[in-house]
Amino acid sequence: MKIAVLPGDGIGPEIVAEAVKVLKALELPFEMETAAVGGSAFDAHGHPLPEATLALAKAADAVLFGAVGDWKYDKLERQFRPEQAILGLRKQLGLFANFRPAICYEQLTHASSLKPELVAGLDILIIRELTGDIYFGQPRGRRTAIDGHFPGSEEAFDTMRYSRPEIERIAHVAFQAARKRNRKLTSVDKANVLETFQFWKDVVTEVHAQYPDVQLEHLYVDNAAMQLVRAPKAFDVVVTGNLFGDILSDEAALLTGSIGMLPSACLDKNGKGLYEPSHGSAPDIAGKGVANPLATILSAAMMLRYTLNQPEAADRIESAVKAVLGAGLRTGDIWSEGTTKVGTRAMGDAVVAAITGKTTITKT
Ligand code: NAD
C-alpha cells in the first residue's frame, strides 16, 4: 500500500508529521512518500501542483493531505495560488465524492453551540457530490435580460444540472458507506421546486433497489437544515448535491464546535481517496507547535477505513483519540478549564502511546 504524503503550507507539515507518526505506530506494510504541494511547492518548483507531485498522487493508493494557502500568495495570478493544487488534484484524480463526518466526542460537547444532550455522541457522515451541480453547469454568465421581471436590464445566471451517471455513482458510494455504518441513508433534495432534484430523487430511489438492506429517506434541503440543528442524532449518512452539501456539511461541522477535530475525504469511483482535515493552513498559528493534529490523524483513520480496507486499524486510531481526550489532553483550540493543555507533538505522542501502550503520555 502506497500513501502519497502532501503536507503543504502553514500548519500542514506539523499536523501531517503527527498523522504519519500514528500510521507508523500501526506497523502495517505502508510505503509513504512525501512531496511538495501548495505555496511551498510554488516557492520550490514554480507551481502549486508540480508534475512530480501529481504523478506521485496518481500512482499512490491514497493521498494524505495537510493544508495549503497563506496570505503571502494572495497577489499571485489565480493559476499559481496554493488553493489551485487541491482543485487540480480533485480534477486530475476524478474525486467526485466528498465525505465529511461530524463527530462530537463526549468530552467536547461544551464546544458545540447546541445543548450538550443534543450533540453528545453525535456521529453523522455527510456525503457531498463534488464535481457537478450549479457550480459547474453550463451555460453561466452575465447578459442583458430578454424576459423575466426586468427585460433589458443586466442579469447573471448559472445552470443547475445533474446527469443520470453522476447521480448513480454518488448514490452507490452513499449506499455502500451506509452499509459500513448503521444502514440508514437520508437523501437531501429540493424535488418540490427543482427539476434537477426531482430527477436526483428518482435516480436515488432506483439505485436503492440494489441496497434493500439500507433504509432510505428523502428530505427537502430546508427541512434537513432545520433537523440538523433540532435533532442531529436522528441522521446517520446523508447524501446530497454539491450546492446543498457545501452548506449542510459546514452546518454539521459547526455542531461539533471544533474545526481542529474534523477529518474529511474525497473519493474517486474506485474508492481511491484524498484525505485531509476540514480546516485550512491556519497561518496565524503556523510554526508555534500549538495546532491540533487530531483532524489529520482522524483523516488517516478514514483513509484506512475507506480506501485501504483496514477497518480494525481505523478503529484503533479512533479509540486512541477517544482515550487521549478521556485522559484530559487538549490542544488550545479545544482546551477548557480542568483539562491539560498540550502542543501538537505531545498530542501526536499521546495518540501513539494509546495505540501502542509502549510510551507514557507526555504533558507539556
Ligand atoms: P483556517 O481553517 O486555516 O483557520 C481558521 C481558524 O481556525 C484560525 O484561527 C486557525 O488558527 C484555526 N485553526 C484551523 N485549524 C486549526 C487546528 N488544526 N488547530 C487549531 N486551530 C486551528 O481558515 P482560514 O484562516 O480562513 O484560511 C487560512 C488559509 O487556509 C487560507 O490561505 C485558505 O485559503 C486556506 N485554506 C485551505 C484549505 C485546504 O487546504 N483544503 C481549506 C480551507 C482554507
Side-chain angles (χ1 to χ4, degrees):
M1 291 179 286
K2 182 160 182 170
I3 303 169
V5 179
L6 312 183
D9 308 321
I11 60 170
E14 299 166 53
I15 53 180
V16 167
E18 300 312 312
V20 166
K21 208 155 77 181
V22 168
L23 283 169
K24 284 185 177 159
L26 295 167
E27 295 184 345
L28 290 167
F30 298 131
E31 194 193 319
M32 292 192 247
E33 193 176 332
T34 302
V37 75
S40 49
F42 176 79
D43 289 341
H45 308 285
H47 198 280
L49 183 57
E51 269 177 32
T53 303
L54 181 58
L56 173 67
K58 281 184 173 168
D61 297 298
V63 180
L64 182 63
F65 190 92
V68 290
D70 190 297
W71 302 301
K72 73 178 179 184
Y73 302 107
D74 281 357
K75 292 205 167 62
L76 285 177
E77 257 179 71
R78 188 161 296 282
Q79 57 170 328
F80 294 122
R81 295 216 193 137
E83 293 77 10
Q84 292 303 311
I86 188 84
L87 298 177
L89 280 166
R90 279 182 192 162
K91 193 168 169 207
Q92 294 285 337
L93 300 181
L95 305 171
F96 67 91
N98 183 209
F99 280 40
R100 288 267 300 263
I103 298 169
C104 192
Y105 294 91
E106 303 280 351
Q107 300 87 354
L108 302 180
T109 47
H110 65 275
S112 173
S113 48
L114 295 191
K115 291 181 206 138
E117 63 268 27
L118 287 184
V119 291
L122 178 76
D123 181 357
I124 60 183
L125 173 63
I126 310 260
I127 300 180
R128 164 189 172 195
E129 201 287 330
L130 209 53
T131 55
D133 206 348
I134 197 163
Y135 288 1
F136 295 97
Q138 294 290 344
R140 60 193 286 159
R142 292 186 185 201
R143 64 186 172 194
T144 302
I146 48 170
D147 51 18
H149 295 298
F150 296 98
S153 67
E154 192 184 7
E155 69 173 10
F157 63 102
D158 298 276
T159 302
M160 178 175 270
R161 61 194 295 175
Y162 264 121
S163 64
R164 174 176 282 278
E166 282 175 300
I167 305 170
E168 282 176 349
R169 66 181 183 176
I170 192 78
H172 281 292
V173 164
F175 281 114
Q176 282 160 21
R179 271 188 174 162
K180 290 186 178 168
R181 293 172 49 104
N182 297 319
R183 295 173 187 266
K184 184 175 173 217
L185 178 65
T186 305
S187 172
V188 173
D189 61 58
K190 190 72 185 167
N192 50 344
V193 179
L194 297 169
E195 203 56 48
T196 311
F197 275 90
Q198 180 60 57
F199 185 49
W200 172 283
K201 186 174 182 177
D202 294 346
V203 175
V204 171
T205 304
E206 280 173 41
V207 174
H208 182 215
Q210 297 174 51
Y211 301 88
D213 53 317
V214 178
Q215 183 197 335
L216 172 68
E217 68 167 358
H218 301 276
L219 274 191
Y220 296 139
V221 62
D222 40 349
N223 190 11
M226 281 197 298
Q227 298 308 323
L228 265 178
V229 286
R230 194 188 70 85
K233 284 192 266 186
F235 292 98
D236 193 60
V237 182
V238 175
V239 64
T240 189
N242 205 347
L243 173 63
F244 301 154
D246 191 359
I247 299 162
L248 292 183
S249 61
D250 271 9
E251 186 190 356
L254 188 97
L255 298 176
T256 71
S258 47
I259 194 156
M261 295 295 301
L262 294 171
S264 81
C266 297
L267 302 185
D268 78 357
K269 63 180 189 309
N270 302 315
K272 173 173 169 170
L274 180 147
Y275 295 82
E276 58 172 337
S278 293
H279 58 74
S281 55
D284 53 330
I285 56 167
K288 295 183 179 162
V290 297
N292 186 348
L294 293 179
T296 317
I297 290 171
L298 291 165
S299 300
M302 284 185 83
M303 179 170 74
L304 291 162
R305 188 179 311 285
Y306 291 107
T307 294
L308 301 179
N309 218 8
Q310 301 278 342
E312 294 86 10
D315 287 346
R316 283 178 72 196
I317 295 181
E318 287 162 1
S319 302
V321 168
K322 282 183 193 150
V324 165
L325 293 174
L329 299 198
R330 306 279 189 274
T331 42
D333 57 312
I334 52 173
W335 179 82
S336 61
E337 208 65 50
T339 61
T340 309
K341 197 183 275 187
V342 297
T344 311
R345 269 169 58 188
M347 186 59 107
D349 288 344
V351 176
V352 169
I355 286 175
T356 61
K358 281 183 192 157
T359 47
T360 49
I361 290 175
T362 48
K363 297 182 182 180
T364 58

